[in-house]
Amino acid sequence: MSSEVALPSMASRFRGFLPVVVDLETGGFHAATDALLEIAAVLVEIQADGSFKRGETYRYHVIPFEGARLDPASLEVTGIDPHRPLRPAISERDALQRIFRDVRRAVTENECRRAILVGHNSFFDLSFLNAAVARTDIKRNPFHPFSSFDTATLAGVALGQTVLARALAAAGLDWDADQAHSAAYDAERTADLFCYICNQFQPIYEVAAQRIAALNINLADIEGGPPFEQT
């Protein structure tokens, strides 16, 4: 009989979902009308001991879609000039297709069924992402359409802080205010926070996994459907 021990997998840890950290910089707060200006996605990797670390970052500047609203107050906060001549921006559709291609590859490599968006105040990012997908008529969106992992909620429970900078400080992680409101930087810091919280909760997860295994039940039977279609 083989003595090999199965390595932890992302598919088993998150029930077929691959967590991908996403941050969007926008021209306002209204997903249906306001411009998407930057998008970044950061992969999360699982290690042999079951802990998590930040993986590769994908980031694109985005050309505002035709007729998009640009709120001056939002642009002042982000520091983005959408009309800067040398800004290396690509179309919304092109940016999404590139991000989605890399995410789909990661989903396949991790033997997952679907990606799930991780974000700080994730409802905001998911709503803008879904609006952009609808606008560009992209059919192969790897992300779950309505479920997400919100690090503001997780940090509130684990650290007593909901603001990203404060949560990172409470976790002993770095934050550079001068780099804030860059999609790539914010996504990477959010990924670090997500990994930190997951790693701190690892003992709780291991006890829960043992409890479920001891019950010898099929979770799909309890949920009434395939585990990767519901959260």
Side-chain angles (χ1 to χ4, degrees):
M1 184 174 65
S2 173
S3 60
E4 293 184 2
V5 177
L7 294 175
S9 72
M10 196 71 80
S12 61
R13 178 63 174 83
F14 293 107
R15 301 175 44 252
F17 288 105
L18 176 71
V20 178
V21 183
V22 174
D23 186 81
L24 305 179
E25 298 299 329
T26 69
F29 296 100
H30 305 288
T33 59
D34 297 350
L36 170 59
L37 300 175
E38 288 185 16
I39 181 170
V42 179
L43 301 182
V44 174
E45 298 177 355
I46 191 167
Q47 303 182 92
D49 63 354
S51 64
F52 298 95
K53 68 175 183 178
R54 169 162 50 98
E56 193 165 358
T57 300
Y58 305 97
R59 177 264 190 97
Y60 299 100
H61 297 276
V62 180
I63 300 170
F65 65 90
E66 185 176 355
R69 177 176 175 269
L70 294 166
D71 183 349
S74 294
L75 298 182
E76 184 177 356
V77 170
T78 64
I80 298 173
D81 179 2
H83 306 299
R84 181 167 59 88
L86 298 180
R87 183 170 178 258
I90 59 178
S91 72
E92 195 174 60
R93 182 177 178 83
D94 193 10
L96 291 178
Q97 287 180 323
R98 294 186 190 192
I99 290 282
F100 289 174
R101 181 177 62 243
D102 291 320
V103 170
R104 284 196 300 267
R105 182 176 64 248
V107 167
T108 299
E109 290 174 351
N110 284 276
E111 299 181 335
C112 290
R113 301 276 186 162
R114 201 163 201 175
I116 187 166
L117 185 147
V118 180
H120 204 75
N121 297 311
S122 58
F123 175 80
F124 177 88
D125 298 289
L126 186 57
S127 65
F128 265 87
L129 185 67
N130 285 340
V133 167
R135 209 162 34 237
T136 54
D137 197 29
I138 292 177
K139 303 302 183 185
R140 299 184 64 201
N141 178 4
F143 286 94
H144 195 289
F146 57 82
S147 293
S148 63
F149 290 145
D150 179 23
T151 53
T153 300
L154 294 173
V157 173
L159 303 169
Q161 301 291 336
T162 56
V163 175
L164 181 57
R166 290 177 175 270
L168 288 164
L173 301 172
D174 293 334
W175 172 257
D176 183 351
D178 291 335
Q179 296 189 62
H181 302 298
S182 154
Y185 183 78
D186 288 0
E188 288 174 351
R189 296 288 78 76
T190 301
D192 290 339
L193 180 63
F194 178 74
C195 291
Y196 173 85
I197 294 173
C198 287
N199 292 341
Q200 295 302 307
F201 275 86
Q202 185 67 12
I204 296 176
Y205 164 73
E206 291 174 352
V207 170
Q210 292 170 4
R211 186 178 295 123
I212 290 294
L215 291 174
N216 193 29
I217 57 176
N218 187 336
L219 291 180
D221 291 339
I222 296 176
E223 296 168 345
F228 56 86
E229 291 295 339
Q230 302 181 12
T231 59

